[in-house]
Amino acid sequence: MAVSSSSATSTVMNNVEAVRATLYEALKNDDRTVILGEDVGARGNVFLITKDFINEFGPQRIIDTPIAEASIVGIAVGMAMEGLRPIAEIQFADFIYPAFNQIVGEAAKTRYRSNGEYTCPLVIRTPYGGGVRGALSHSVSIEALFYHVPGLKIVAPAFPADVKGLLNTAIDDNDPVLFLEHKKTYRLIKGEVPDGHYTIPFGKANVLKEGTQLTVVSYGLYVHWALEAAQKLQLEEGLSVEVIDLRSIRPMDKGAILRSVEKTRKLLVIHEDNKFGGIGAEISAMVAENALFHLDAPIRRLCAPDVPAMGYALPLEEEYMSSPAEMADAMREMVKF
Amino acid sequence: MAKTDVKTGRLERHGLSDEQLRALLRNMLLQRQLDNRGFQLNRQGKVPFALGSEGHEALQAGAAMAFNRGKDILAPYYRDLGLCLGIGLSPYEILLSIFARAADHNGGRQFPNHYSSKAAGLMSFSSILAAHIPHAVGAAYAMKYRGEKGRAVLVTCGDGTTSEGEWHESMNFAAIHKLPLVMLVENNEWAISTPLEKQMAQPEIWKRAKGYGMPGARFNGFDPIETYGAVKEAMDRARAGEGPSLVEGTCYRYLAHSTDDNDMTYRTKEVVQERRKNDPVPRFEALLVEYGVMNEKDVETMRKDVLRETNEATDAAEAQPYPQASDLYTHIYEGAWEPWQ
Ligand SMILES: Cc1ncc(C[n+]2csc(CCOP(=O)(O)OP(=O)(O)O)c2C)c(N)n1
């Protein structure tokens, strides 16, 4: 993993522990930092991420809010404009819609509309994604609804070390950042996390596996599955697939994608969000604009079908999501094209 | 209109000095001049759009006087010309905004009347109704969190805006946390063409305060002294750490909603004329003369002075350059920005 740190020591943790450790450090380091959201206090949020924080930092900094998403973000915007460093939590990404205007119409435009006089250093954290039997209202991917918006940054880390480095960057950032945490990776994904404070810049993708025959671009949970599929193809069939973890969706690492595509001459984008108008469409257009004549095959996107959501019943969830086996099939077809 | 003290027969002035009473009138006259100027410039084809606050002069001048400059924070809405003047913006700054010049606080990016000024304690806001109200709550939270004594946030909106969810969410949160916040509703009976009775079944907005667990009060917004008294009391409560309040000032919108609106499609000239009999500007002039704070000549001098100041500000602002096309690309993020890196 491309995490650099001067620290010699590290600790193995899962994604949820990495979020918790990073938030804890932020609260310790800067008393302008406050956390607000539903159930973030005594319960420590529904995933227990902030459990016990309220005992140490008090209810003024760990704010249990009423169930009112528009004002959770709106109040955080006001706090940010007046010098605090709020970290707002939306309990599940599916509940972010009432806050849409505060994120898109207000937070993202504060700097612009005031000609730089006011800024909005705000982090909005939210768990997203499926594969957890979360049904219609606890499984959504929201990145495409927000990545259209200048003024906002969007990050979707997949590994614990990235969670910490990118969340630190988000907290330090003087602009609003939407920080997406894939909830299936929360406890599933473990890894070494360097001790001490470090940051990972936005807009730097991570090449997880080098390859020569196909470029796969993904982020979030699917990065893990794509990696698994690519490794299997390498081992069993000798196919050489390069796997890129975007880590940040806006800004996005154009250089890493183009360098890879110019080498492998084929591109497959894999994401959990709907295909139509998704991140993959933007990546495809960018590659078509910049590297069309390097391509040896049509660009392909393996994404969610154009339906509103995954269902609760297992076959409905499985049909919506891509599996490592489907990813391997798509990769094999592309390499053989 | 301002009450007379029953015992002494003197003007009930809530501790306002003669100088402050004259400042109230000056603000009101300036509002009227600047309002007219915006509409005039629009008719001359010099600016594409203007908003007016005619009918709100007393309410806004009075409320601004309850604001402590350099301490309090104002989160206004787009009809708050007089409030923004009253807390320290100059006519020149107002006209820069009307002309959308580069030197405007927001660099000509927003509609007129969307001021912002960190120095004046004036929060930046958009045209999205009620979206600024949680921002005011957040600012009030920051004040309380930092333990700052003697400061408060004044947030305003129109009657129609109280129908938005964020208005209710903000009232609720502010009350739970006993924040130093004053929610001032400028009830001018209209929301573009929608009258109060279509906006709400219970048109006494101030009464909603009880449901949220905070005090509420209604005052006559045609009277700058009564307004000052009501807003000052609420601001003082907030500054003393006693929590938020809702204050509702009644007034009337004499002009169309904006230069893009024709109010004769939903109300009649006669009705507006009838309501004009309550016009706060001549009434306050007369009151100050009656109580000997000014004489007719002083009033006339002030009117002339305000007109001259407006003319000078108009010329100075008009002479300023527009923002450059390249300014479109600045202040999106902190540094230079490239969506693809
Ligand atoms: C969220 C939102 N919806 C609609 C509008 C369009 N709009 C602008 S002003 C206005 C009326 C507001 O009325 P009120 O709050 O009573 O204030 P007034 O203009 O009467 O002072 C409307 C509907 C808007 N700006 N924002």
Side-chain angles (χ1 to χ4, degrees), chain A residues 169-184:
Chain A
T169 303
I171 291 166
D172 290 348
D173 204 289
N174 286 325
D175 289 304
V177 180
L178 187 55
F179 195 84
L180 305 179
E181 300 163 10
H182 199 292
K183 64 178 99 63
K184 191 173 173 76

Side-chain angles (χ1 to χ4, degrees), chain B residues 1 55 58-59 220-224 227 250-252 254 275 278-280:
Chain B
M1 241 5 222
L59 200 165
N220 174 11
F222 290 114
D223 179 346
T227 301
T250 51
C251 62
Y252 195 74
Y254 294 139
R275 300 301 297 266
N278 230 353
D279 190 332

Side-chain angles (χ1 to χ4, degrees), chain B residues 77-79 127-129 158-161 164 188 190-192 257:
Chain B
Y77 81 119
Y78 53 78
R79 208 179 291 290
S127 310
I128 311 301
L129 295 172
D159 42 284
T161 297
E164 287 280 1
N188 64 16
W190 289 100
I192 311 188
H257 172 70

Side-chain angles (χ1 to χ4, degrees), chain A residues 101, chain B residues 51-52 56 77-79 126-131 157-164 166 185-194 196 199-200 251 253 257:
Chain A
N101 175 58
Chain B
L51 277 155
H56 290 244
Y77 81 119
Y78 53 78
R79 208 179 291 290
S126 72
S127 310
I128 311 301
L129 295 172
C157 68
D159 42 284
T161 297
T162 67
S163 300
E164 287 280 1
E166 274 147 307
V185 177
E186 302 181 29
N187 184 349
N188 64 16
E189 300 180 26
W190 289 100
I192 311 188
S193 66
T194 307
L196 268 188
Q199 197 72 242
M200 58 196 80
C251 62
R253 196 193 78 210
H257 172 70

Side-chain angles (χ1 to χ4, degrees), chain B residues 2-4 9-11 13 286-294:
Chain B
K3 292 176 209 71
T4 305
R10 288 214 314 266
L11 177 64
R13 50 167 68 197
L287 186 95
L288 293 190
V289 171
E290 182 190 337
Y291 282 90
V293 178
M294 304 172 83

